[in-house]
Amino acid sequence: MASLCDYIVVNDGDFSLNPGQTQTFSDPIPSNLIIGTNRAKPILAFKVWATPSGGRFAVEVNDQQIWSPTISGGDVRGLWETFSGTVLNPGVNNTVQFRAIENKIWFSDVVLWYQVDA
């Protein structure tokens, strides 16, 4: 069966988080989502920047942590993380949560990419 890439713009603006703060988004995922393969993994992409001393943050999708990097400060970075397709739930709203762990962190332009049956 043929597949194609689709995406959701989770957040088109920017937001900042102080240590311990979270920001959660909820968006529908289509019912024809391809899940559970090594090649059809979703991708969460976003821009991030931190205070000059750097920072640490975590990203969760549907309450499952998919990434927790430490970044140096100063520059805006475009980051992305692939994760297991079984984390997403087809046909319902799914959540994406950002959490600041160390220092203030800014985020923008959050996009969730995934594959669907054509």
Side-chain angles (χ1 to χ4, degrees), residues 47-67:
K47 293 179 188 171
V48 63
W49 59 102
T51 61
S53 58
R56 186 167 174 237
F57 64 94
V59 181
E60 295 180 355
V61 175
N62 292 330
D63 299 322
Q64 293 187 40
Q65 184 171 298
I66 63 165
W67 201 22

Side-chain angles (χ1 to χ4, degrees), residues 24-35:
T24 303
F25 301 95
S26 179
D27 291 289
I29 298 295
S31 58
N32 62 339
L33 173 74
I34 298 174
I35 60 173

Side-chain angles (χ1 to χ4, degrees), residues 50-114:
T51 61
S53 58
R56 186 167 174 237
F57 64 94
V59 181
E60 295 180 355
V61 175
N62 292 330
D63 299 322
Q64 293 187 40
Q65 184 171 298
I66 63 165
W67 201 22
S68 183
T70 300
I71 61 170
S72 57
D75 296 325
V76 176
R77 290 171 173 75
L79 299 178
W80 59 91
E81 179 67 7
T82 60
F83 59 97
S84 171
T86 59
V87 172
L88 294 176
N89 299 310
V92 298
N93 278 7
N94 287 247
T95 60
V96 175
Q97 182 180 77
F98 292 85
R99 179 172 30 95
I101 298 171
E102 182 183 301
N103 295 331
K104 188 170 187 174
I105 308 281
W106 289 262
F107 301 91
S108 71
D109 303 321
V110 181
V111 179
L112 177 61
W113 298 82
Y114 47 83

